[in-house]
Amino acid sequence: MRVGIYARVSTEAQEARGTIGSQLETLRAKVAAEGDDLVAEFVDDGFSGARLDRPGLDALRDAAEQGVVEAVWCLSPDRLARSFAYQMLILDELSRLGVVVRFTDSPPIDNDPEARLLVQVQGVIAEYEKAKFAERERRGKLYRARAGEVLSRKVPYGYRRVPRGPEGPAHLVVHDQEAAVVRRVFADFLGGASIRGLAVALVAEGTASPDGRPVWPLATIGRLLRNEAYVGRLFWNRTHTSYDPSVGRNRQARRPREEWVQIPVPAIVTEETFEAVQQ
């Protein structure tokens, strides 16, 4: 029988489910013990099982459709997908294509209602574990933010993030050269310069934009002038992500301001200057 193997591990699951190498070693040994012909290996290293658009999984589904493989070995159902619904979708698709799916951690499921029920239960448990992990991570980050730790690695122009270390939690320090640009932008805007005029002047002087490019988009300067971090107020928990069935994907939405977590950071401009600019 022509057999393929599929291995997946996401970053957070490496310790719990082993590395890609250890999974492949286990699966190769299983194929050899069964006396089958290993014709293809499909790997997703560092991809979440909560999504279906994975290169290794896509290649497996293509191979099944083309008749390259007759069976597939996988460590467990949660390696195919974390979501129970996604597991059933993949298993049903492969079954329609005549591809048998085998798991080293579960009994064969073809024509065995009890085994199929076990796989379904495992899928529900995997989905629960994923939700529990995500909630623990969210609560942990919320606690750290409320304690004043800067969690995001992407920080406003004019600052640098100092990672957590012996001196304490991650925090921001002022980048003097960029901070001077920020103060100049605020001052010139209050002096009557337009946002377009500021962009032209910065480009003429050869000052790189926050993303390192020679051109300053007008929207970038507009966001800079509205960013409360420059008066010492950095916020966490401003948005949340939820699935939008109308577009078939996750979308971000802004939380009410009372749910934001304020993290104190060094100010670059005064409160009076900032408020004058907002007016």
Side-chain angles (χ1 to χ4, degrees):
M1 180 179 288
R2 300 188 310 278
V3 173
I5 58 178
Y6 177 77
R8 180 191 68 80
V9 67
S10 55
T11 304
E12 71 272 9
Q14 291 231 10
E15 184 176 349
R17 301 300 292 159
T19 64
I20 282 292
S22 64
Q23 286 189 39
L24 290 173
E25 185 178 345
T26 299
L27 295 170
R28 289 167 185 156
K30 189 66 177 179
V31 173
E34 295 288 323
D36 290 323
D37 183 17
L38 179 59
V39 298
E41 296 184 356
F42 308 97
V43 175
D44 282 316
D45 193 357
F47 285 84
S48 170
R51 48 187 290 185
L52 286 178
D53 55 333
R54 294 174 252 145
L57 181 60
D58 283 341
L60 165 60
R61 297 165 75 177
D62 290 342
E65 192 168 3
Q66 296 162 8
V68 176
V69 295
E70 300 172 273
V72 176
W73 276 99
C74 188
L75 198 67
S76 61
D78 69 327
R79 296 304 87 201
L80 275 181
R82 295 289 291 186
S83 164
F84 169 67
Y86 284 172
Q87 286 179 17
M88 292 300 99
L89 185 152
I90 296 168
L91 290 172
D92 287 346
E93 177 183 314
L94 294 176
S95 177
R96 287 197 306 272
L97 295 170
V99 176
V100 179
V101 180
R102 296 281 189 264
F103 301 109
T104 60
D105 293 355
S106 304
I109 62 173
D110 49 317
N111 300 321
D112 187 340
E114 290 185 2
R116 193 170 184 85
L117 176 61
L118 175 60
V119 169
Q120 293 172 349
V121 170
Q122 288 178 328
V124 172
I125 293 174
E127 197 165 349
Y128 164 73
E129 289 294 334
K130 177 178 180 294
K132 183 171 69 173
F133 175 84
E135 178 60 12
R136 283 179 177 173
E137 183 180 38
R138 186 189 71 84
R139 293 288 300 172
K141 287 183 175 180
L142 205 56
Y143 174 82
R144 288 159 57 193
R146 286 171 176 160
E149 182 169 354
V150 177
L151 300 176
S152 177
R153 297 181 184 276
K154 185 177 181 181
V155 300
Y157 180 78
Y159 295 98
R160 291 294 183 272
R161 181 178 183 268
V162 179
R164 180 192 299 188
E167 298 79 13
H171 59 281
L172 298 190
V173 295
V174 173
H175 185 278
D176 292 335
Q177 185 177 353
E178 292 180 356
V181 175
V182 172
R183 294 188 186 100
R184 180 267 183 91
V185 167
F186 272 85
D188 287 359
F189 186 78
L190 283 180
S194 66
I195 290 181
R196 182 177 297 277
L198 287 168
V200 171
L202 290 168
V203 170
E205 294 168 3
T207 302
S209 69
D211 60 5
R213 297 180 181 179
V215 176
W216 281 72
L218 303 186
T220 297
I221 297 178
R223 285 193 297 269
L224 185 152
L225 290 168
R226 295 191 300 272
N227 195 334
E228 294 184 54
Y230 297 126
V231 286
R233 297 190 294 270
L234 186 70
F235 293 101
W236 176 262
N237 202 48
R238 293 196 305 172
T239 61
H240 67 91
T241 303
S242 59
Y243 182 75
D244 187 342
S246 65
V247 295
R249 58 183 174 83
N250 289 336
R251 297 188 67 174
Q252 273 198 344
R254 186 169 289 250
R255 296 179 185 274
R257 190 178 175 97
E258 57 267 21
E259 295 182 17
W260 298 3
V261 177
Q262 182 175 324
I263 303 171
V265 298
I268 290 179
V269 301
T270 66
E271 190 76 48
E272 292 76 18
T273 297
F274 185 82
E275 289 302 322
V277 165
Q278 305 318 300
Q279 293 300 320

